[in-house]
Amino acid sequence: MLLQGKVHKFGDDVNTDYIISGRHKFKTLDMRELAKHVMEDLDPDFYSKVTAGDFIVAGRNFGCGSSREQAPLAIINADISAVVAQSFARIFYRNCINTGLPLVECDTTHIDPGDELTIDLGGGVLHNVTKGMDIPITPLPPVMLKILSEGGLVEHFKKHGEFNFD
């Protein structure tokens, strides 16, 4: 799975309320509408700057806080192709895989806002096109790549009807 896009960078400890504020989740269940508010407390113009395929890049502990699935679903519906961070909160990580949002763990210190990246999820390499450098990533296990390629866990079950990860 090869992804490419530009970087929108944030810091450490970006919690799920920063990703999509709780004040919005009670107004609508329409994920395309919620997507318009992704990251707005950290960058009010975030949604208007995103081009389909772009990346959110952050530091440590991305997705901490509550376990709400609206956070990864809103990111997906904002047309972000993956989140790249040094580490992820455990429940957020699992929610992302379940909903079909790729996550990439790597050193993000040499990635800057606006950099162009290509990521080979299966090959374990993030290439910073802007800086001409490769950054090794923690490769995803084959089962997670399969779930992601099928659009998440629900789509996997619809396709296979059971736990079939071969």
Side-chain angles (χ1 to χ4, degrees):
M1 185 179 258
L2 188 65
L3 307 171
Q4 54 187 10
K6 79 173 187 265
V7 170
H8 302 272
K9 192 159 184 187
F10 299 92
D12 294 336
D13 301 314
V14 174
N15 66 47
T16 53
D17 208 41
Y18 284 140
I19 296 168
I20 184 66
S21 176
R23 71 181 177 274
H24 296 296
K25 78 175 194 163
F26 298 111
K27 294 178 184 175
T28 182
L29 294 176
D30 180 347
M31 287 301 138
R32 292 303 286 177
E33 192 59 36
L34 283 178
K36 296 174 184 175
H37 301 286
V38 167
M39 310 303 281
E40 75 179 5
D41 288 344
L42 298 176
D43 179 356
D45 299 321
F46 176 77
Y47 184 76
S48 66
K49 293 189 250 181
V50 171
T51 301
D54 285 355
F55 302 106
I56 290 175
V57 175
R60 290 180 170 77
N61 201 27
F62 189 88
C64 57
S66 74
S67 62
R68 64 175 85 141
E69 283 189 351
Q70 290 95 339
L73 289 170
I75 291 171
I76 290 167
N77 282 281
D79 294 325
I80 296 295
S81 65
V83 179
V84 179
Q86 291 179 17
S87 65
F88 295 93
R90 185 173 166 188
I91 290 176
F92 179 81
Y93 188 94
R94 195 63 212 164
N95 281 341
C96 288
I97 299 301
N98 288 348
T99 58
L101 177 63
L103 299 177
V104 176
E105 286 186 330
C106 68
D107 180 2
T108 60
T109 57
H110 300 292
I111 303 172
D112 293 314
D115 283 357
E116 293 286 331
L117 307 178
T118 58
I119 301 172
D120 181 355
L121 290 176
V125 176
L126 179 151
H127 180 69
N128 187 324
V129 176
T130 304
K131 294 184 176 153
M133 67 185 297
D134 288 337
I135 299 171
I137 65 174
T138 303
L140 293 174
V143 65
M144 287 188 184
L145 286 172
K146 183 170 180 131
I147 291 169
L148 288 170
S149 72
E150 293 176 347
L153 197 56
V154 170
E155 294 306 314
H156 175 81
F157 284 133
K158 285 179 184 177
K159 183 175 181 180
H160 300 285
E162 58 184 65
F163 287 102
N164 179 359
F165 298 111
D166 296 327

